[in-house]
PDB file of all heavy atoms in Angstrom:
ATOM      1  N   ASP A   1      18.914   1.232 -10.067  1.00 92.00           N
ATOM      2  CA  ASP A   1      18.864   1.648 -11.472  1.00 92.00           C
ATOM      3  C   ASP A   1      20.246   1.929 -12.055  1.00 92.00           C
ATOM      4  O   ASP A   1      20.472   1.715 -13.248  1.00 92.00           O
ATOM      5  CB  ASP A   1      17.998   2.894 -11.634  1.00 92.00           C
ATOM      6  CG  ASP A   1      16.523   2.608 -11.466  1.00 92.00           C
ATOM      7  OD1 ASP A   1      16.115   1.438 -11.637  1.00 92.00           O
ATOM      8  OD2 ASP A   1      15.768   3.550 -11.178  1.00 92.00           O
ATOM      9  N   VAL A   2      21.156   2.393 -11.237  1.00 95.00           N
ATOM     10  CA  VAL A   2      22.482   2.770 -11.734  1.00 95.00           C
ATOM     11  C   VAL A   2      23.419   1.570 -11.785  1.00 95.00           C
ATOM     12  O   VAL A   2      24.025   1.285 -12.815  1.00 95.00           O
ATOM     13  CB  VAL A   2      23.098   3.890 -10.853  1.00 95.00           C
ATOM     14  CG1 VAL A   2      24.515   4.213 -11.290  1.00 95.00           C
ATOM     15  CG2 VAL A   2      22.216   5.130 -10.907  1.00 95.00           C
ATOM     16  N   THR A   3      23.525   0.847 -10.665  1.00 95.00           N
ATOM     17  CA  THR A   3      24.483  -0.263 -10.591  1.00 95.00           C
ATOM     18  C   THR A   3      23.935  -1.569 -11.142  1.00 95.00           C
ATOM     19  O   THR A   3      24.690  -2.497 -11.398  1.00 95.00           O
ATOM     20  CB  THR A   3      24.924  -0.495  -9.133  1.00 95.00           C
ATOM     21  OG1 THR A   3      23.786  -0.958  -8.383  1.00 95.00           O
ATOM     22  CG2 THR A   3      25.505   0.766  -8.524  1.00 95.00           C
ATOM     23  N   LYS A   4      22.609  -1.656 -11.269  1.00 94.00           N
ATOM     24  CA  LYS A   4      21.924  -2.871 -11.734  1.00 94.00           C
ATOM     25  C   LYS A   4      22.112  -4.043 -10.769  1.00 94.00           C
ATOM     26  O   LYS A   4      21.896  -5.190 -11.108  1.00 94.00           O
ATOM     27  CB  LYS A   4      22.387  -3.292 -13.141  1.00 94.00           C
ATOM     28  CG  LYS A   4      22.326  -2.199 -14.168  1.00 94.00           C
ATOM     29  CD  LYS A   4      20.916  -1.720 -14.372  1.00 94.00           C
ATOM     30  CE  LYS A   4      20.888  -0.667 -15.479  1.00 94.00           C
ATOM     31  NZ  LYS A   4      19.780   0.216 -15.389  1.00 94.00           N
ATOM     32  N   ARG A   5      22.503  -3.742  -9.536  1.00 96.00           N
ATOM     33  CA  ARG A   5      22.675  -4.783  -8.520  1.00 96.00           C
ATOM     34  C   ARG A   5      21.416  -4.891  -7.677  1.00 96.00           C
ATOM     35  O   ARG A   5      20.730  -3.897  -7.421  1.00 96.00           O
ATOM     36  CB  ARG A   5      23.869  -4.441  -7.629  1.00 96.00           C
ATOM     37  CG  ARG A   5      25.181  -4.408  -8.431  1.00 96.00           C
ATOM     38  CD  ARG A   5      26.332  -4.016  -7.584  1.00 96.00           C
ATOM     39  NE  ARG A   5      26.704  -5.164  -6.748  1.00 96.00           N
ATOM     40  CZ  ARG A   5      27.589  -5.110  -5.772  1.00 96.00           C
ATOM     41  NH1 ARG A   5      28.170  -3.966  -5.486  1.00 96.00           N
ATOM     42  NH2 ARG A   5      27.872  -6.179  -5.070  1.00 96.00           N
ATOM     43  N   ALA A   6      21.139  -6.107  -7.219  1.00 94.00           N
ATOM     44  CA  ALA A   6      19.987  -6.339  -6.348  1.00 94.00           C
ATOM     45  C   ALA A   6      20.214  -5.618  -5.026  1.00 94.00           C
ATOM     46  O   ALA A   6      21.300  -5.674  -4.451  1.00 94.00           O
ATOM     47  CB  ALA A   6      19.797  -7.831  -6.111  1.00 94.00           C
ATOM     48  N   THR A   7      19.189  -4.894  -4.563  1.00 95.00           N
ATOM     49  CA  THR A   7      19.302  -4.156  -3.303  1.00 95.00           C
ATOM     50  C   THR A   7      18.390  -4.718  -2.223  1.00 95.00           C
ATOM     51  O   THR A   7      18.604  -4.464  -1.046  1.00 95.00           O
ATOM     52  CB  THR A   7      18.970  -2.668  -3.502  1.00 95.00           C
ATOM     53  OG1 THR A   7      17.651  -2.560  -4.055  1.00 95.00           O
ATOM     54  CG2 THR A   7      19.970  -2.003  -4.439  1.00 95.00           C
ATOM     55  N   ALA A   8      17.373  -5.478  -2.622  1.00 92.00           N
ATOM     56  CA  ALA A   8      16.449  -6.065  -1.640  1.00 92.00           C
ATOM     57  C   ALA A   8      15.707  -7.221  -2.298  1.00 92.00           C
ATOM     58  O   ALA A   8      15.440  -7.203  -3.495  1.00 92.00           O
ATOM     59  CB  ALA A   8      15.458  -5.023  -1.149  1.00 92.00           C
ATOM     60  N   THR A   9      15.376  -8.211  -1.478  1.00 93.00           N
ATOM     61  CA  THR A   9      14.544  -9.322  -1.922  1.00 93.00           C
ATOM     62  C   THR A   9      13.403  -9.452  -0.931  1.00 93.00           C
ATOM     63  O   THR A   9      13.628  -9.506   0.277  1.00 93.00           O
ATOM     64  CB  THR A   9      15.350 -10.628  -1.983  1.00 93.00           C
ATOM     65  OG1 THR A   9      16.437 -10.451  -2.882  1.00 93.00           O
ATOM     66  CG2 THR A   9      14.487 -11.783  -2.460  1.00 93.00           C
ATOM     67  N   ILE A  10      12.185  -9.499  -1.453  1.00 91.00           N
ATOM     68  CA  ILE A  10      10.991  -9.547  -0.612  1.00 91.00           C
ATOM     69  C   ILE A  10      10.266 -10.852  -0.881  1.00 91.00           C
ATOM     70  O   ILE A  10       9.954 -11.170  -2.037  1.00 91.00           O
ATOM     71  CB  ILE A  10      10.070  -8.353  -0.910  1.00 91.00           C
ATOM     72  CG1 ILE A  10      10.824  -7.055  -0.657  1.00 91.00           C
ATOM     73  CG2 ILE A  10       8.785  -8.431  -0.105  1.00 91.00           C
ATOM     74  CD1 ILE A  10      10.387  -5.926  -1.514  1.00 91.00           C
ATOM     75  N   ASP A  11      10.004 -11.616   0.167  1.00 93.00           N
ATOM     76  CA  ASP A  11       9.252 -12.862   0.051  1.00 93.00           C
ATOM     77  C   ASP A  11       7.770 -12.515   0.059  1.00 93.00           C
ATOM     78  O   ASP A  11       7.197 -12.209   1.111  1.00 93.00           O
ATOM     79  CB  ASP A  11       9.602 -13.793   1.201  1.00 93.00           C
ATOM     80  CG  ASP A  11       8.976 -15.165   1.067  1.00 93.00           C
ATOM     81  OD1 ASP A  11       8.074 -15.342   0.215  1.00 93.00           O
ATOM     82  OD2 ASP A  11       9.382 -16.061   1.819  1.00 93.00           O
ATOM     83  N   LEU A  12       7.132 -12.541  -1.091  1.00 91.00           N
ATOM     84  CA  LEU A  12       5.732 -12.145  -1.212  1.00 91.00           C
ATOM     85  C   LEU A  12       4.790 -13.099  -0.482  1.00 91.00           C
ATOM     86  O   LEU A  12       3.666 -12.729  -0.162  1.00 91.00           O
ATOM     87  CB  LEU A  12       5.347 -12.040  -2.683  1.00 91.00           C
ATOM     88  CG  LEU A  12       6.086 -10.959  -3.458  1.00 91.00           C
ATOM     89  CD1 LEU A  12       5.737 -11.025  -4.940  1.00 91.00           C
ATOM     90  CD2 LEU A  12       5.795  -9.590  -2.890  1.00 91.00           C
ATOM     91  N   ARG A  13       5.245 -14.301  -0.175  1.00 93.00           N
ATOM     92  CA  ARG A  13       4.407 -15.253   0.572  1.00 93.00           C
ATOM     93  C   ARG A  13       4.161 -14.773   2.002  1.00 93.00           C
ATOM     94  O   ARG A  13       3.229 -15.221   2.655  1.00 93.00           O
ATOM     95  CB  ARG A  13       5.049 -16.631   0.589  1.00 93.00           C
ATOM     96  CG  ARG A  13       5.133 -17.270  -0.797  1.00 93.00           C
ATOM     97  CD  ARG A  13       5.929 -18.517  -0.764  1.00 93.00           C
ATOM     98  NE  ARG A  13       7.305 -18.159  -0.425  1.00 93.00           N
ATOM     99  CZ  ARG A  13       8.313 -18.999  -0.400  1.00 93.00           C
ATOM    100  NH1 ARG A  13       8.124 -20.264  -0.664  1.00 93.00           N
ATOM    101  NH2 ARG A  13       9.527 -18.598  -0.114  1.00 93.00           N
ATOM    102  N   LYS A  14       4.979 -13.840   2.473  1.00 94.00           N
ATOM    103  CA  LYS A  14       4.821 -13.325   3.834  1.00 94.00           C
ATOM    104  C   LYS A  14       3.839 -12.165   3.932  1.00 94.00           C
ATOM    105  O   LYS A  14       3.529 -11.708   5.021  1.00 94.00           O
ATOM    106  CB  LYS A  14       6.178 -12.915   4.398  1.00 94.00           C
ATOM    107  CG  LYS A  14       7.099 -14.108   4.601  1.00 94.00           C
ATOM    108  CD  LYS A  14       8.394 -13.699   5.241  1.00 94.00           C
ATOM    109  CE  LYS A  14       9.263 -14.933   5.461  1.00 94.00           C
ATOM    110  NZ  LYS A  14      10.502 -14.594   6.144  1.00 94.00           N
ATOM    111  N   ALA A  15       3.345 -11.693   2.805  1.00 93.00           N
ATOM    112  CA  ALA A  15       2.343 -10.623   2.820  1.00 93.00           C
ATOM    113  C   ALA A  15       1.062 -11.165   3.447  1.00 93.00           C
ATOM    114  O   ALA A  15       0.638 -12.284   3.171  1.00 93.00           O
ATOM    115  CB  ALA A  15       2.073 -10.124   1.409  1.00 93.00           C
ATOM    116  N   ILE A  16       0.462 -10.356   4.321  1.00 95.00           N
ATOM    117  CA  ILE A  16      -0.767 -10.791   4.991  1.00 95.00           C
ATOM    118  C   ILE A  16      -2.002 -10.133   4.395  1.00 95.00           C
ATOM    119  O   ILE A  16      -3.120 -10.583   4.641  1.00 95.00           O
ATOM    120  CB  ILE A  16      -0.698 -10.541   6.516  1.00 95.00           C
ATOM    121  CG1 ILE A  16      -0.454  -9.062   6.816  1.00 95.00           C
ATOM    122  CG2 ILE A  16       0.369 -11.422   7.149  1.00 95.00           C
ATOM    123  CD1 ILE A  16      -0.529  -8.708   8.290  1.00 95.00           C
ATOM    124  N   ALA A  17      -1.819  -9.077   3.596  1.00 93.00           N
ATOM    125  CA  ALA A  17      -2.971  -8.403   2.997  1.00 93.00           C
ATOM    126  C   ALA A  17      -2.493  -7.458   1.900  1.00 93.00           C
ATOM    127  O   ALA A  17      -1.323  -7.089   1.843  1.00 93.00           O
ATOM    128  CB  ALA A  17      -3.751  -7.613   4.040  1.00 93.00           C
ATOM    129  N   VAL A  18      -3.445  -7.084   1.053  1.00 89.00           N
ATOM    130  CA  VAL A  18      -3.228  -6.069   0.031  1.00 89.00           C
ATOM    131  C   VAL A  18      -4.305  -5.014   0.229  1.00 89.00           C
ATOM    132  O   VAL A  18      -5.477  -5.343   0.372  1.00 89.00           O
ATOM    133  CB  VAL A  18      -3.334  -6.661  -1.391  1.00 89.00           C
ATOM    134  CG1 VAL A  18      -3.192  -5.567  -2.441  1.00 89.00           C
ATOM    135  CG2 VAL A  18      -2.303  -7.750  -1.599  1.00 89.00           C
ATOM    136  N   GLU A  19      -3.903  -3.743   0.274  1.00 89.00           N
ATOM    137  CA  GLU A  19      -4.857  -2.635   0.366  1.00 89.00           C
ATOM    138  C   GLU A  19      -4.791  -1.867  -0.946  1.00 89.00           C
ATOM    139  O   GLU A  19      -3.723  -1.477  -1.389  1.00 89.00           O
ATOM    140  CB  GLU A  19      -4.504  -1.676   1.503  1.00 89.00           C
ATOM    141  CG  GLU A  19      -4.874  -2.168   2.856  1.00 89.00           C
ATOM    142  CD  GLU A  19      -4.608  -1.121   3.936  1.00 89.00           C
ATOM    143  OE1 GLU A  19      -4.004  -0.057   3.649  1.00 89.00           O
ATOM    144  OE2 GLU A  19      -4.983  -1.388   5.072  1.00 89.00           O
ATOM    145  N   ASP A  20      -5.941  -1.633  -1.527  1.00 87.00           N
ATOM    146  CA  ASP A  20      -6.038  -0.900  -2.777  1.00 87.00           C
ATOM    147  C   ASP A  20      -6.530   0.512  -2.478  1.00 87.00           C
ATOM    148  O   ASP A  20      -7.569   0.684  -1.843  1.00 87.00           O
ATOM    149  CB  ASP A  20      -7.010  -1.621  -3.704  1.00 87.00           C
ATOM    150  CG  ASP A  20      -7.035  -1.049  -5.100  1.00 87.00           C
ATOM    151  OD1 ASP A  20      -6.840   0.176  -5.268  1.00 87.00           O
ATOM    152  OD2 ASP A  20      -7.258  -1.834  -6.025  1.00 87.00           O
ATOM    153  N   ALA A  21      -5.803   1.517  -2.930  1.00 70.00           N
ATOM    154  CA  ALA A  21      -6.182   2.910  -2.661  1.00 70.00           C
ATOM    155  C   ALA A  21      -7.553   3.221  -3.234  1.00 70.00           C
ATOM    156  O   ALA A  21      -8.318   3.974  -2.637  1.00 70.00           O
ATOM    157  CB  ALA A  21      -5.140   3.863  -3.244  1.00 70.00           C
ATOM    158  N   GLU A  22      -7.898   2.638  -4.366  1.00 70.00           N
ATOM    159  CA  GLU A  22      -9.213   2.876  -4.969  1.00 70.00           C
ATOM    160  C   GLU A  22     -10.315   2.381  -4.041  1.00 70.00           C
ATOM    161  O   GLU A  22     -11.335   3.046  -3.859  1.00 70.00           O
ATOM    162  CB  GLU A  22      -9.324   2.166  -6.325  1.00 70.00           C
ATOM    163  CG  GLU A  22      -8.277   2.560  -7.329  1.00 70.00           C
ATOM    164  CD  GLU A  22      -8.345   4.013  -7.740  1.00 70.00           C
ATOM    165  OE1 GLU A  22      -9.463   4.554  -7.846  1.00 70.00           O
ATOM    166  OE2 GLU A  22      -7.292   4.604  -7.950  1.00 70.00           O
ATOM    167  N   ASP A  23     -10.130   1.207  -3.451  1.00 62.00           N
ATOM    168  CA  ASP A  23     -11.125   0.655  -2.527  1.00 62.00           C
ATOM    169  C   ASP A  23     -11.272   1.534  -1.290  1.00 62.00           C
ATOM    170  O   ASP A  23     -12.371   1.787  -0.827  1.00 62.00           O
ATOM    171  CB  ASP A  23     -10.746  -0.761  -2.093  1.00 62.00           C
ATOM    172  CG  ASP A  23     -10.816  -1.755  -3.233  1.00 62.00           C
ATOM    173  OD1 ASP A  23     -11.476  -1.462  -4.256  1.00 62.00           O
ATOM    174  OD2 ASP A  23     -10.202  -2.826  -3.098  1.00 62.00           O
ATOM    175  N   LEU A  24     -10.143   2.011  -0.765  1.00 57.00           N
ATOM    176  CA  LEU A  24     -10.197   2.845   0.435  1.00 57.00           C
ATOM    177  C   LEU A  24     -10.881   4.171   0.156  1.00 57.00           C
ATOM    178  O   LEU A  24     -11.659   4.665   0.965  1.00 57.00           O
ATOM    179  CB  LEU A  24      -8.794   3.085   0.988  1.00 57.00           C
ATOM    180  CG  LEU A  24      -8.114   1.861   1.582  1.00 57.00           C
ATOM    181  CD1 LEU A  24      -6.682   2.202   1.975  1.00 57.00           C
ATOM    182  CD2 LEU A  24      -8.888   1.325   2.763  1.00 57.00           C
ATOM    183  N   ARG A  25     -10.617   4.761  -1.017  1.00 54.00           N
ATOM    184  CA  ARG A  25     -11.271   6.027  -1.365  1.00 54.00           C
ATOM    185  C   ARG A  25     -12.770   5.837  -1.513  1.00 54.00           C
ATOM    186  O   ARG A  25     -13.550   6.680  -1.107  1.00 54.00           O
ATOM    187  CB  ARG A  25     -10.677   6.615  -2.650  1.00 54.00           C
ATOM    188  CG  ARG A  25      -9.392   7.362  -2.413  1.00 54.00           C
ATOM    189  CD  ARG A  25      -9.052   8.256  -3.589  1.00 54.00           C
ATOM    190  NE  ARG A  25      -8.888   7.522  -4.820  1.00 54.00           N
ATOM    191  CZ  ARG A  25      -7.732   7.009  -5.241  1.00 54.00           C
ATOM    192  NH1 ARG A  25      -6.651   7.141  -4.521  1.00 54.00           N
ATOM    193  NH2 ARG A  25      -7.662   6.373  -6.382  1.00 54.00           N
ATOM    194  N   SER A  26     -13.194   4.722  -2.080  1.00 56.00           N
ATOM    195  CA  SER A  26     -14.631   4.505  -2.273  1.00 56.00           C
ATOM    196  C   SER A  26     -15.333   4.226  -0.949  1.00 56.00           C
ATOM    197  O   SER A  26     -16.527   4.475  -0.820  1.00 56.00           O
ATOM    198  CB  SER A  26     -14.878   3.361  -3.254  1.00 56.00           C
ATOM    199  OG  SER A  26     -14.467   2.141  -2.706  1.00 56.00           O
ATOM    200  N   GLN A  27     -14.618   3.725   0.059  1.00 54.00           N
ATOM    201  CA  GLN A  27     -15.211   3.460   1.371  1.00 54.00           C
ATOM    202  C   GLN A  27     -15.293   4.706   2.232  1.00 54.00           C
ATOM    203  O   GLN A  27     -16.027   4.739   3.201  1.00 54.00           O
ATOM    204  CB  GLN A  27     -14.396   2.392   2.112  1.00 54.00           C
ATOM    205  CG  GLN A  27     -14.492   1.027   1.483  1.00 54.00           C
ATOM    206  CD  GLN A  27     -13.540   0.061   2.120  1.00 54.00           C
ATOM    207  OE1 GLN A  27     -12.931   0.354   3.141  1.00 54.00           O
ATOM    208  NE2 GLN A  27     -13.388  -1.099   1.514  1.00 54.00           N
ATOM    209  N   ALA A  28     -14.520   5.728   1.905  1.00 51.00           N
ATOM    210  CA  ALA A  28     -14.497   6.952   2.703  1.00 51.00           C
ATOM    211  C   ALA A  28     -15.777   7.735   2.425  1.00 51.00           C
ATOM    212  O   ALA A  28     -15.948   8.322   1.367  1.00 51.00           O
ATOM    213  CB  ALA A  28     -13.270   7.790   2.369  1.00 51.00           C
ATOM    214  N   LEU A  29     -16.681   7.751   3.372  1.00 51.00           N
ATOM    215  CA  LEU A  29     -17.973   8.382   3.164  1.00 51.00           C
ATOM    216  C   LEU A  29     -17.972   9.866   3.517  1.00 51.00           C
ATOM    217  O   LEU A  29     -18.765  10.633   3.005  1.00 51.00           O
ATOM    218  CB  LEU A  29     -19.035   7.658   3.992  1.00 51.00           C
ATOM    219  CG  LEU A  29     -19.190   6.173   3.689  1.00 51.00           C
ATOM    220  CD1 LEU A  29     -20.202   5.547   4.636  1.00 51.00           C
ATOM    221  CD2 LEU A  29     -19.606   5.963   2.243  1.00 51.00           C
ATOM    222  N   THR A  30     -17.083  10.259   4.412  1.00 52.00           N
ATOM    223  CA  THR A  30     -17.029  11.649   4.844  1.00 52.00           C
ATOM    224  C   THR A  30     -15.572  12.088   4.917  1.00 52.00           C
ATOM    225  O   THR A  30     -14.674  11.253   4.967  1.00 52.00           O
ATOM    226  CB  THR A  30     -17.648  11.809   6.247  1.00 52.00           C
ATOM    227  OG1 THR A  30     -16.805  11.134   7.187  1.00 52.00           O
ATOM    228  CG2 THR A  30     -19.056  11.258   6.308  1.00 52.00           C
ATOM    229  N   PRO A  31     -15.314  13.373   4.948  1.00 55.00           N
ATOM    230  CA  PRO A  31     -13.928  13.821   5.131  1.00 55.00           C
ATOM    231  C   PRO A  31     -13.314  13.283   6.418  1.00 55.00           C
ATOM    232  O   PRO A  31     -12.140  12.964   6.462  1.00 55.00           O
ATOM    233  CB  PRO A  31     -14.051  15.349   5.153  1.00 55.00           C
ATOM    234  CG  PRO A  31     -15.286  15.625   4.365  1.00 55.00           C
ATOM    235  CD  PRO A  31     -16.218  14.477   4.675  1.00 55.00           C
ATOM    236  N   ALA A  32     -14.101  13.137   7.467  1.00 54.00           N
ATOM    237  CA  ALA A  32     -13.573  12.612   8.732  1.00 54.00           C
ATOM    238  C   ALA A  32     -13.146  11.161   8.582  1.00 54.00           C
ATOM    239  O   ALA A  32     -12.096  10.759   9.070  1.00 54.00           O
ATOM    240  CB  ALA A  32     -14.617  12.752   9.836  1.00 54.00           C
ATOM    241  N   SER A  33     -13.944  10.352   7.886  1.00 51.00           N
ATOM    242  CA  SER A  33     -13.562   8.954   7.721  1.00 51.00           C
ATOM    243  C   SER A  33     -12.374   8.836   6.775  1.00 51.00           C
ATOM    244  O   SER A  33     -11.555   7.939   6.919  1.00 51.00           O
ATOM    245  CB  SER A  33     -14.736   8.114   7.220  1.00 51.00           C
ATOM    246  OG  SER A  33     -15.155   8.543   5.947  1.00 51.00           O
ATOM    247  N   ALA A  34     -12.244   9.723   5.823  1.00 48.00           N
ATOM    248  CA  ALA A  34     -11.087   9.710   4.930  1.00 48.00           C
ATOM    249  C   ALA A  34      -9.816  10.000   5.708  1.00 48.00           C
ATOM    250  O   ALA A  34      -8.778   9.409   5.454  1.00 48.00           O
ATOM    251  CB  ALA A  34     -11.264  10.739   3.812  1.00 48.00           C
ATOM    252  N   ARG A  35      -9.903  10.905   6.680  1.00 46.00           N
ATOM    253  CA  ARG A  35      -8.713  11.237   7.470  1.00 46.00           C
ATOM    254  C   ARG A  35      -8.255  10.078   8.319  1.00 46.00           C
ATOM    255  O   ARG A  35      -7.095   9.987   8.682  1.00 46.00           O
ATOM    256  CB  ARG A  35      -8.988  12.455   8.346  1.00 46.00           C
ATOM    257  CG  ARG A  35      -8.905  13.753   7.602  1.00 46.00           C
ATOM    258  CD  ARG A  35      -8.864  14.916   8.575  1.00 46.00           C
ATOM    259  NE  ARG A  35     -10.067  15.007   9.378  1.00 46.00           N
ATOM    260  CZ  ARG A  35     -11.173  15.627   9.015  1.00 46.00           C
ATOM    261  NH1 ARG A  35     -11.258  16.178   7.831  1.00 46.00           N
ATOM    262  NH2 ARG A  35     -12.219  15.666   9.822  1.00 46.00           N
ATOM    263  N   SER A  36      -9.147   9.148   8.647  1.00 46.00           N
ATOM    264  CA  SER A  36      -8.749   8.026   9.488  1.00 46.00           C
ATOM    265  C   SER A  36      -8.031   6.942   8.704  1.00 46.00           C
ATOM    266  O   SER A  36      -7.492   6.016   9.272  1.00 46.00           O
ATOM    267  CB  SER A  36      -9.978   7.418  10.183  1.00 46.00           C
ATOM    268  OG  SER A  36     -10.819   6.809   9.226  1.00 46.00           O
ATOM    269  N   SER A  37      -7.991   7.054   7.390  1.00 47.00           N
ATOM    270  CA  SER A  37      -7.344   6.052   6.563  1.00 47.00           C
ATOM    271  C   SER A  37      -5.831   6.113   6.724  1.00 47.00           C
ATOM    272  O   SER A  37      -5.237   7.178   6.856  1.00 47.00           O
ATOM    273  CB  SER A  37      -7.697   6.306   5.102  1.00 47.00           C
ATOM    274  OG  SER A  37      -6.854   5.559   4.263  1.00 47.00           O
ATOM    275  N   ARG A  38      -5.187   4.956   6.643  1.00 50.00           N
ATOM    276  CA  ARG A  38      -3.731   4.909   6.684  1.00 50.00           C
ATOM    277  C   ARG A  38      -3.158   5.629   5.470  1.00 50.00           C
ATOM    278  O   ARG A  38      -2.075   6.160   5.507  1.00 50.00           O
ATOM    279  CB  ARG A  38      -3.260   3.457   6.678  1.00 50.00           C
ATOM    280  CG  ARG A  38      -3.632   2.730   7.933  1.00 50.00           C
ATOM    281  CD  ARG A  38      -3.281   1.287   7.835  1.00 50.00           C
ATOM    282  NE  ARG A  38      -1.843   1.173   7.754  1.00 50.00           N
ATOM    283  CZ  ARG A  38      -1.230   0.065   7.405  1.00 50.00           C
ATOM    284  NH1 ARG A  38      -1.909  -0.995   7.093  1.00 50.00           N
ATOM    285  NH2 ARG A  38       0.084   0.006   7.362  1.00 50.00           N
ATOM    286  N   TYR A  39      -3.879   5.633   4.360  1.00 47.00           N
ATOM    287  CA  TYR A  39      -3.388   6.302   3.164  1.00 47.00           C
ATOM    288  C   TYR A  39      -3.309   7.799   3.363  1.00 47.00           C
ATOM    289  O   TYR A  39      -2.442   8.446   2.838  1.00 47.00           O
ATOM    290  CB  TYR A  39      -4.290   5.983   1.959  1.00 47.00           C
ATOM    291  CG  TYR A  39      -3.909   4.694   1.293  1.00 47.00           C
ATOM    292  CD1 TYR A  39      -4.287   3.480   1.818  1.00 47.00           C
ATOM    293  CD2 TYR A  39      -3.135   4.714   0.139  1.00 47.00           C
ATOM    294  CE1 TYR A  39      -3.911   2.304   1.198  1.00 47.00           C
ATOM    295  CE2 TYR A  39      -2.765   3.544  -0.479  1.00 47.00           C
ATOM    296  CZ  TYR A  39      -3.156   2.337   0.058  1.00 47.00           C
ATOM    297  OH  TYR A  39      -2.779   1.184  -0.540  1.00 47.00           O
ATOM    298  N   ASP A  40      -4.204   8.368   4.133  1.00 50.00           N
ATOM    299  CA  ASP A  40      -4.178   9.810   4.347  1.00 50.00           C
ATOM    300  C   ASP A  40      -3.044  10.208   5.278  1.00 50.00           C
ATOM    301  O   ASP A  40      -2.497  11.288   5.154  1.00 50.00           O
ATOM    302  CB  ASP A  40      -5.520  10.272   4.920  1.00 50.00           C
ATOM    303  CG  ASP A  40      -5.659  11.782   4.892  1.00 50.00           C
ATOM    304  OD1 ASP A  40      -5.323  12.391   3.861  1.00 50.00           O
ATOM    305  OD2 ASP A  40      -6.089  12.336   5.913  1.00 50.00           O
TER     306      ASP A  40
END
C-alpha cells in the first residue's frame, strides 16, 4: 500500500479448492463439529 510495488504473485491456476466460511458454518451441526473446522 505504501510503496505501490508488487510484493507477491499468485498463480490462481494452482489452487486445488475454495472453502467458503458460510458453507462451513452451515455444515457445523454441533459445537463439537464446529471446533473440528479448519476455520475455528
Side-chain angles (χ1 to χ4, degrees):
D1 288 338
V2 176
T3 66
K4 308 298 183 204
R5 297 177 76 188
T7 57
T9 301
I10 301 150
D11 186 347
L12 296 174
R13 295 172 295 185
K14 293 184 178 183
I16 58 173
V18 176
E19 283 185 353
D20 188 328
E22 302 296 324
D23 293 341
L24 291 175
R25 279 197 300 270
S26 67
Q27 292 172 10
L29 302 176
T30 67
S33 63
R35 281 193 297 274
S36 67
S37 166
R38 293 174 65 193
Y39 275 79
D40 192 45

